[in-house]
Amino acid sequence: MAVDRQEVPGSPSVTAAGSPVPAVKRRAWYVLALLVCLMLVNFADKVVVALSGVGMKKELGLDGSQFGVIQSSFFWLFAVGSVLGGWLGGKVRARWLLAGIAAVWALSLAPMVAQVGFTTIIACRVLLGFAEGPTVALAMQVAHSWFPAHRRSVPSSIVIAGAGVGPLIAAPVLTWVVEAYSWHAAFGALAAFGAVFAVLWLLGGDSGPEGARAVDRDVAATVLPERVPLRRLFSTGTLIGMAILFFVAYANTSVGVSWLPLYLREGLGYDATTAGRLVVLPYLGAAVAVILVGVLSGALTKRGVGNRVTRGVLPAVMVLVSGVCTVAFSSLDRGVPQMTLLVIGACLNSAGYGVAFAGLADVAPAKQRSTVFGIIAAVYSLGGVVAPLVIGGLVDAGESAAAGYGDGFLVLGVTMIIGAVAALLLVHPDRDAAKLAAAS
């Protein structure tokens, strides 16, 4: 049986007492900060179309269904990029891979600075989606490579928090750029930001010492085999349940990114400035909630609570309650109660992502983690394909814009509730890790 490198005195990642050396620990948090910036750019790129939506629809004469196609097109090759990026994650050094991905982002955004047509916009969004497909999976792989298994909940949650910080910063800034200049200028600003990140990552980003370990060990000391056939891995209840949970949660996330600014303006009647401020609230709450839940999960783990609760039940319950909130606010008129439910739902939906990824890492062997994360990302990206199209169709079919949006969020909420219940029944990281270890 392989020895856990973390416990070997003299290992580059530990002191004689078995603790991480200060230099490695500082580097770990520096890389984590870069990964948060990566997620910030990633989600700012997603939300820019929604923030530009009113001007874009007017300039190009688009209806709701056509705009839904633009939003959905981002995810057409997202799954392909996720799987390919996950495969490359085990073969190409993270320093070069993530820098290259960020450079492609910048290239896909640059044409939008000029006058473009419907087809060009779709082509650019498809390329951007392909390049962004593996981002979350690779960011998690790199983050986990700097921290041992029992310390991953908080770093995972911090990385996911970057997804909330992205729109949080982007919404008011890009709204100002759109109003002061044009929606084309907003795309130009993001293209420049992506290029700057690529350079910063080349200078300081890379995988950590934990990524070199042949085996991994969870809190209960279950030693996973070096490799498990993917068919066996994806027949475990944990991976099936997590795939379902991520699918419905990401459907909610994609609707928020692609339609929330338009919902606030077209469905609820807020002006551009007010909508730009209100759209920040779900992301602000989500960024805080993700970190708090990561801390809570880590604290429960230290107290001996099993991974089924901390990394399975906890995120599933959050998505379940988020679905209930989504159903509830879909029938309310605009006002404080409605916005409160909307924000709570967004917070809970996002908060479970980080600890759920830690649950995936409990079952996936270290050498296969990037592949597993990539496949899961490919599965949940389908939620990003379907949800914007459904919302766009329902908006056009509704008696009014408000009624159409209400129907769309009602369908979304019910879907989330069903998916969360399935995950509650299926996810059990400790049990499935033990089965994989016993079968090796």
Side-chain angles (χ1 to χ4, degrees):
M1 181 175 66
V3 177
D4 188 340
R5 179 179 171 184
Q6 180 191 344
E7 296 179 352
V8 179
S11 165
S13 61
V14 298
T15 65
S19 301
V21 296
V24 171
K25 191 172 182 179
R26 287 194 299 271
R27 179 80 186 281
W29 288 102
Y30 174 75
V31 171
L32 197 65
L34 287 178
L35 292 175
V36 170
C37 291
L38 177 74
M39 296 299 292
L40 188 155
V41 180
N42 180 278
F43 271 76
D45 290 347
K46 290 183 176 70
V47 78
V48 65
V49 172
L51 294 171
S52 305
V54 172
M56 187 182 292
K57 289 173 70 176
K58 183 178 180 180
E59 180 178 316
L60 300 177
L62 305 175
D63 59 25
S65 294
Q66 289 174 312
F67 191 74
V69 170
I70 289 177
Q71 294 286 31
S72 176
S73 66
F74 176 88
F75 296 98
W76 290 356
L77 291 183
F78 193 96
V80 176
S82 297
V83 175
L84 178 60
W87 178 74
L88 289 174
K91 300 179 180 300
V92 179
R93 187 173 170 183
R95 179 184 181 187
W96 306 112
L97 187 57
L98 285 178
I101 285 173
V104 174
W105 297 357
L107 289 173
S108 69
L109 291 163
M112 306 288 281
V113 176
Q115 297 295 320
V116 290
F118 181 71
T119 302
T120 302
I121 293 175
I122 288 179
C124 290
R125 297 304 287 175
V126 169
L127 177 60
L128 180 63
F130 173 78
E132 290 197 354
T135 303
V136 175
L138 292 174
M140 284 298 175
Q141 177 197 356
V142 173
H144 289 178
S145 74
W146 286 97
F147 298 89
H150 65 281
R151 295 181 58 219
R152 286 182 186 140
S153 291
V154 173
S156 295
S157 297
I158 290 174
V159 171
I160 295 298
V165 174
L168 175 64
I169 296 175
V173 173
L174 294 179
T175 297
W176 175 79
V177 172
V178 170
E179 293 296 312
Y181 299 96
S182 71
W183 63 268
H184 299 281
F187 282 88
L190 289 178
F193 196 19
V196 169
F197 174 82
V199 173
L200 291 177
W201 181 259
L202 280 174
L203 294 175
D206 212 344
S207 294
E210 294 289 327
R213 293 166 57 189
V215 299
D216 204 354
R217 191 173 71 175
D218 69 7
V219 178
T222 298
V223 178
L224 290 168
E226 290 189 17
R227 291 190 178 275
V228 176
L230 290 177
R231 181 179 61 183
R232 185 186 301 170
L233 271 175
F234 281 91
S235 66
T236 62
T238 295
L239 263 64
I240 294 171
M242 285 295 194
I244 295 172
L245 186 67
F246 275 107
F247 176 87
V248 298
Y250 200 75
N252 180 289
T253 298
S254 66
V255 168
V257 168
S258 60
W259 281 104
L260 181 57
L262 274 79
Y263 171 54
L264 294 174
R265 294 190 63 180
E266 297 179 340
L268 300 179
Y270 291 106
D271 60 57
T273 302
T274 303
R277 292 171 180 169
L278 290 177
V279 79
V280 166
L281 296 179
Y283 297 112
L284 174 61
V288 175
V290 165
I291 296 175
L292 291 179
V293 170
V295 172
L296 172 63
S297 177
L300 291 174
T301 297
K302 288 182 179 180
R303 291 178 177 272
V305 179
N307 289 341
R308 165 153 172 72
V309 173
T310 60
R311 298 174 180 181
V313 173
L314 185 60
V317 168
M318 289 183 173
V319 174
L320 175 62
V321 178
S322 176
V324 172
C325 289
T326 303
V327 170
F329 83 69
S330 68
S331 61
L332 296 178
D333 294 327
R334 82 178 198 179
V336 174
Q338 192 223 32
M339 280 303 301
T340 300
L341 287 171
L342 191 154
V343 171
I344 291 174
C347 291
L348 294 176
N349 184 72
S350 299
Y353 271 107
V355 292
F357 265 107
L360 288 175
D362 290 333
V363 178
K367 288 186 175 181
Q368 294 176 283
R369 195 166 292 142
S370 64
T371 301
V372 170
F373 285 0
I375 293 173
I376 290 292
V379 172
Y380 73 60
S381 72
L382 298 177
V385 174
V386 174
L389 287 174
V390 172
I391 294 293
L394 290 173
V395 168
D396 282 346
E399 295 181 357
S400 64
Y405 280 111
D407 292 341
F409 283 110
L410 175 62
V411 171
L412 175 64
V414 171
T415 303
M416 293 170 64
I417 292 170
I418 294 171
V421 170
L424 279 172
L425 298 174
L426 292 169
V427 175
H428 200 318
D430 291 332
R431 175 201 64 196
D432 292 333
K435 286 182 178 179
L436 294 173
S440 63

XYZ file of all heavy atoms in Angstrom, residues 328-392:
451
model
N -41.579 29.584 -4.990
C -42.328 30.590 -4.231
C -42.238 31.974 -4.879
O -43.252 32.659 -5.050
C -41.818 30.643 -2.795
N -41.019 32.412 -5.273
C -40.918 33.779 -5.799
C -41.484 33.890 -7.213
O -41.796 34.998 -7.670
C -39.484 34.319 -5.709
C -38.545 33.940 -6.820
C -38.704 34.434 -8.108
C -37.453 33.105 -6.570
C -37.819 34.105 -9.127
C -36.563 32.773 -7.576
C -36.750 33.276 -8.863
N -41.636 32.759 -7.917
C -42.143 32.814 -9.295
C -43.578 33.322 -9.364
O -44.012 33.819 -10.409
C -42.065 31.422 -9.939
O -42.972 30.522 -9.332
N -44.315 33.225 -8.257
C -45.722 33.632 -8.260
C -45.952 34.986 -7.604
O -47.095 35.449 -7.519
C -46.570 32.580 -7.537
O -46.166 32.452 -6.184
N -44.881 35.630 -7.127
C -45.028 36.904 -6.417
C -44.762 38.089 -7.343
O -44.017 37.999 -8.310
C -44.052 36.963 -5.241
C -44.247 35.932 -4.120
C -43.170 36.112 -3.058
C -45.634 36.048 -3.514
N -45.388 39.212 -7.019
C -45.084 40.454 -7.702
C -43.787 41.028 -7.137
O -43.323 40.627 -6.067
C -46.218 41.464 -7.516
C -47.505 41.003 -8.200
O -47.394 40.343 -9.255
O -48.593 41.309 -7.678
N -43.232 42.004 -7.860
C -41.958 42.560 -7.411
C -42.127 43.256 -6.066
O -43.170 43.820 -5.756
C -41.404 43.518 -8.451
C -41.970 44.915 -8.421
C -41.284 45.775 -9.481
N -41.490 47.198 -9.213
C -40.981 48.161 -9.966
N -40.252 47.866 -11.023
N -41.202 49.429 -9.666
N -41.065 43.212 -5.299
C -41.085 43.796 -3.965
C -40.071 43.105 -3.085
O -39.356 42.186 -3.515
N -40.014 43.505 -1.827
C -39.023 42.966 -0.896
C -39.187 41.463 -0.675
O -38.196 40.717 -0.703
C -39.076 43.730 0.445
C -38.148 43.070 1.477
C -38.680 45.190 0.245
N -40.408 40.946 -0.429
C -40.542 39.494 -0.224
C -40.028 38.683 -1.413
O -39.348 37.665 -1.237
C -42.045 39.302 -0.020
C -42.527 40.619 0.493
C -41.707 41.634 -0.225
N -40.359 39.137 -2.622
C -39.926 38.400 -3.798
C -38.408 38.411 -3.935
O -37.782 37.382 -4.182
C -40.577 38.988 -5.051
C -40.406 38.085 -6.263
C -40.033 38.840 -7.519
O -39.348 39.856 -7.460
N -40.472 38.334 -8.641
N -37.771 39.576 -3.782
C -36.325 39.667 -3.894
C -35.636 38.888 -2.792
O -34.570 38.286 -3.000
C -35.872 41.130 -3.860
C -36.025 41.867 -5.174
S -35.152 41.077 -6.575
C -33.458 41.082 -5.988
N -36.250 38.862 -1.611
C -35.664 38.099 -0.500
C -35.615 36.614 -0.836
O -34.586 35.948 -0.644
C -36.482 38.317 0.786
O -36.470 39.711 1.121
C -35.888 37.521 1.938
N -36.724 36.084 -1.354
C -36.752 34.672 -1.732
C -35.786 34.392 -2.883
O -35.123 33.351 -2.909
C -38.167 34.263 -2.128
C -39.178 34.123 -0.987
C -40.584 33.925 -1.549
C -38.795 32.952 -0.080
N -35.712 35.307 -3.834
C -34.811 35.134 -4.971
C -33.361 35.066 -4.496
O -32.592 34.192 -4.927
C -35.005 36.286 -5.952
C -34.352 36.178 -7.336
C -35.131 37.029 -8.343
C -32.889 36.626 -7.317
N -32.984 35.968 -3.602
C -31.611 36.010 -3.103
C -31.303 34.776 -2.260
O -30.236 34.152 -2.411
C -31.367 37.298 -2.291
C -30.021 37.243 -1.580
C -31.436 38.510 -3.204
N -32.222 34.385 -1.380
C -31.998 33.193 -0.549
C -31.835 31.956 -1.426
O -30.947 31.121 -1.203
C -33.157 33.000 0.448
C -33.142 34.105 1.507
C -33.060 31.624 1.127
C -34.334 34.078 2.437
N -32.690 31.845 -2.434
C -32.596 30.697 -3.331
C -31.258 30.641 -4.045
O -30.639 29.580 -4.157
N -30.788 31.796 -4.534
C -29.497 31.837 -5.229
C -28.348 31.495 -4.286
O -27.407 30.785 -4.656
C -29.281 33.224 -5.835
N -28.420 32.002 -3.055
C -27.371 31.729 -2.067
C -27.265 30.229 -1.776
O -26.179 29.639 -1.787
C -27.644 32.477 -0.769
S -27.458 34.263 -0.872
N -28.395 29.616 -1.506
C -28.390 28.201 -1.147
C -27.972 27.331 -2.322
O -27.265 26.333 -2.151
C -29.779 27.791 -0.656
C -30.232 28.429 0.658
C -31.665 28.022 0.987
C -29.293 28.015 1.791
N -28.403 27.701 -3.524
C -28.045 26.911 -4.703
C -26.532 26.909 -4.915
O -25.944 25.874 -5.229
C -28.744 27.481 -5.928
C -28.506 26.659 -7.178
O -29.036 25.566 -7.325
N -27.706 27.171 -8.087
N -25.911 28.071 -4.754
C -24.464 28.176 -4.971
C -23.651 27.605 -3.829
O -22.553 27.077 -4.041
C -24.071 29.648 -5.175
O -24.712 30.194 -6.299
N -24.179 27.691 -2.613
C -23.390 27.348 -1.427
C -22.978 25.885 -1.379
O -21.961 25.534 -0.788
C -24.175 27.707 -0.160
N -23.753 25.025 -2.005
C -23.427 23.601 -1.941
C -22.381 23.139 -2.929
O -21.845 22.039 -2.803
N -22.049 23.989 -3.930
C -21.125 23.561 -4.974
C -19.771 23.109 -4.427
O -19.246 22.053 -4.790
C -20.876 24.702 -5.962
C -21.846 24.775 -7.115
C -22.818 25.773 -7.159
C -21.773 23.887 -8.164
C -23.701 25.870 -8.224
C -22.654 23.978 -9.237
C -23.615 24.966 -9.267
O -24.485 25.051 -10.317
N -19.165 23.940 -3.572
C -17.818 23.649 -3.087
C -17.732 22.344 -2.338
O -16.870 21.494 -2.616
N -18.625 22.136 -1.372
C -18.567 20.904 -0.585
C -18.979 19.704 -1.429
O -18.538 18.578 -1.185
C -19.439 21.006 0.688
C -18.839 22.004 1.646
C -20.876 21.365 0.367
N -19.820 19.927 -2.438
C -20.186 18.824 -3.329
C -18.975 18.367 -4.138
O -18.770 17.161 -4.341
C -21.324 19.246 -4.259
N -18.146 19.306 -4.593
C -16.922 18.925 -5.299
C -15.975 18.167 -4.369
O -15.289 17.232 -4.801
C -16.221 20.163 -5.859
C -16.575 20.457 -7.285
C -17.396 21.525 -7.606
C -16.088 19.663 -8.311
C -17.727 21.806 -8.922
C -16.411 19.925 -9.633
C -17.229 21.002 -9.944
N -15.925 18.560 -3.104
C -15.112 17.814 -2.149
C -15.638 16.392 -2.006
O -14.867 15.441 -1.839
C -15.110 18.526 -0.792
N -16.963 16.214 -2.061
C -17.547 14.877 -2.014
C -17.147 14.043 -3.216
O -16.893 12.835 -3.100
N -17.083 14.667 -4.387
C -16.607 13.951 -5.573
C -15.163 13.498 -5.392
O -14.789 12.384 -5.767
C -16.695 14.856 -6.800
C -18.082 15.173 -7.359
C -17.957 16.191 -8.487
C -18.763 13.913 -7.868
N -14.331 14.366 -4.810
C -12.920 14.030 -4.606
C -12.752 12.876 -3.632
O -11.756 12.153 -3.694
C -12.160 15.259 -4.097
N -13.709 12.679 -2.723
C -13.631 11.559 -1.783
C -13.742 10.218 -2.494
O -13.260 9.200 -1.993
C -14.759 11.657 -0.744
C -14.556 12.808 0.216
O -13.393 13.201 0.433
O -15.556 13.327 0.738
N -14.392 10.208 -3.646
C -14.648 8.955 -4.360
C -13.713 8.778 -5.548
O -13.400 7.648 -5.943
C -16.125 8.904 -4.835
C -16.417 7.646 -5.629
C -17.064 8.995 -3.637
N -13.251 9.862 -6.138
C -12.410 9.784 -7.338
C -10.940 9.661 -6.961
O -10.415 10.487 -6.218
C -12.617 11.026 -8.198
N -10.237 8.641 -7.450
C -8.789 8.541 -7.221
C -8.070 9.775 -7.737
O -8.498 10.399 -8.719
C -8.390 7.288 -8.023
C -9.637 6.472 -8.104
C -10.757 7.475 -8.198
N -6.962 10.137 -7.085
C -6.267 11.382 -7.404
C -5.885 11.479 -8.876
O -6.031 12.533 -9.495
C -5.018 11.517 -6.528
N -5.408 10.372 -9.464
C -4.961 10.405 -10.850
C -6.113 10.553 -11.836
O -5.897 10.906 -12.994
C -4.157 9.156 -11.173
C -2.778 9.135 -10.526
C -1.966 7.940 -10.995
C -0.550 7.974 -10.443
N 0.261 6.819 -10.910
N -7.330 10.267 -11.393
C -8.490 10.354 -12.282
C -9.396 11.534 -11.956
O -10.459 11.695 -12.563
C -9.301 9.059 -12.203
C -8.572 7.839 -12.734
C -9.380 6.572 -12.532
O -9.448 6.028 -11.432
N -10.012 6.100 -13.588
N -8.973 12.348 -11.014
C -9.863 13.395 -10.523
C -10.219 14.405 -11.608
O -11.375 14.803 -11.743
C -9.218 14.097 -9.326
C -10.181 14.938 -8.507
C -9.565 15.309 -7.176
N -9.411 14.145 -6.324
C -8.371 13.945 -5.520
N -7.399 14.823 -5.471
N -8.314 12.865 -4.778
N -9.229 14.817 -12.404
C -9.536 15.805 -13.444
C -10.499 15.227 -14.472
O -11.379 15.936 -14.965
C -8.250 16.272 -14.123
O -7.612 15.200 -14.796
N -10.353 13.932 -14.777
C -11.261 13.301 -15.732
C -12.677 13.230 -15.174
O -13.654 13.537 -15.876
C -10.774 11.887 -16.081
O -9.460 11.964 -16.643
C -11.705 11.218 -17.079
N -12.799 12.824 -13.914
C -14.114 12.731 -13.276
C -14.768 14.104 -13.202
O -15.946 14.271 -13.546
C -13.988 12.113 -11.871
C -15.309 12.241 -11.106
C -13.593 10.641 -11.966
N -14.016 15.105 -12.766
C -14.559 16.457 -12.690
C -15.004 16.936 -14.068
O -16.037 17.596 -14.216
C -13.513 17.418 -12.122
C -13.288 17.304 -10.637
C -13.996 16.388 -9.868
C -12.348 18.098 -10.010
C -13.780 16.276 -8.497
C -12.123 18.010 -8.646
C -12.841 17.089 -7.892
N -14.200 16.618 -15.094
C -14.550 17.041 -16.444
C -15.837 16.401 -16.929
O -16.671 17.065 -17.558
N -16.018 15.106 -16.645
C -17.242 14.418 -17.069
C -18.454 14.976 -16.323
O -19.521 15.192 -16.911
C -17.110 12.899 -16.853
C -16.046 12.334 -17.803
C -18.450 12.193 -17.084
C -15.716 10.877 -17.557
N -18.306 15.204 -15.031
C -19.409 15.792 -14.253
C -19.755 17.174 -14.807
O -20.934 17.532 -14.955
C -19.027 15.881 -12.761
C -18.968 14.494 -12.132
C -20.035 16.758 -12.003
C -20.295 13.785 -12.019
N -18.729 17.963 -15.141
C -18.976 19.289 -15.718
C -19.708 19.171 -17.050
O -20.588 19.983 -17.366
C -17.663 20.039 -15.898
N -19.352 18.149 -17.841
C -20.037 17.940 -19.115
C -21.506 17.624 -18.895
O -22.379 18.107 -19.620
C -19.361 16.808 -19.891
N -21.796 16.808 -17.871
C -23.184 16.447 -17.576
C -23.974 17.665 -17.118
O -25.073 17.947 -17.612
C -23.245 15.329 -16.514
C -24.679 15.095 -16.062
C -22.652 14.035 -17.067
N -23.406 18.414 -16.172
C -24.201 19.529 -15.653
C -24.319 20.670 -16.656
O -25.241 21.486 -16.579
C -23.718 20.003 -14.290
C -22.427 20.780 -14.181
C -22.229 21.994 -14.822
C -21.403 20.325 -13.345
C -21.062 22.716 -14.674
C -20.223 21.038 -13.181
C -20.058 22.238 -13.852
O -18.898 22.958 -13.693
N -23.391 20.708 -17.633
C -23.499 21.758 -18.646
C -24.774 21.612 -19.471
O -25.255 22.591 -20.054
C -22.290 21.724 -19.578
O -22.334 20.598 -20.452
N -25.315 20.396 -19.533
C -26.564 20.197 -20.263
C -27.692 21.025 -19.653
O -28.610 21.456 -20.352
C -26.935 18.717 -20.276
C -25.931 17.790 -20.970
C -26.381 16.334 -20.861
C -25.765 18.185 -22.432
N -27.619 21.245 -18.340
C -28.582 22.139 -17.700
C -28.466 23.548 -18.239
O -29.464 24.267 -18.382
N -27.221 23.959 -18.574
C -27.015 25.271 -19.154
C -27.490 25.371 -20.593
O -27.787 26.456 -21.075
N -27.552 24.223 -21.289
C -28.080 24.213 -22.648
C -29.597 24.325 -22.634
O -30.202 25.121 -23.356
C -27.664 22.926 -23.394
C -28.337 22.860 -24.765
C -26.154 22.864 -23.552
N -30.227 23.521 -21.781
C -31.684 23.391 -21.797
C -32.376 24.584 -21.137
O -33.337 25.138 -21.685
C -32.108 22.083 -21.099
C -33.623 22.007 -20.991
C -31.559 20.882 -21.855
N -31.895 24.979 -19.952
C -32.624 25.970 -19.156
C -32.821 27.315 -19.866
O -33.949 27.840 -19.883
C -31.920 26.166 -17.810
N -31.781 27.926 -20.473
C -32.024 29.208 -21.149
C -33.013 29.094 -22.306
O -33.806 30.008 -22.547
C -30.628 29.613 -21.656
C -29.676 28.896 -20.761
C -30.347 27.585 -20.465
N -32.978 27.968 -23.034
C -33.927 27.772 -24.138
C -35.355 27.669 -23.626
O -36.281 28.240 -24.212
C -33.557 26.505 -24.919
C -32.308 26.590 -25.797
C -32.000 25.218 -26.390
C -32.487 27.613 -26.906
N -35.533 26.920 -22.537
C -36.876 26.757 -21.963
C -37.414 28.102 -21.493
O -38.576 28.454 -21.758
C -36.853 25.742 -20.805
C -38.189 25.719 -20.076
C -36.532 24.342 -21.334
N -36.574 28.865 -20.789
C -37.013 30.175 -20.308
C -37.387 31.074 -21.484
O -38.439 31.750 -21.477
C -35.906 30.842 -19.466
C -35.655 30.050 -18.181
C -36.301 32.278 -19.109
C -36.783 30.043 -17.195
N -36.543 31.093 -22.523
C -36.834 31.929 -23.689
C -38.149 31.559 -24.354
O -38.948 32.431 -24.723
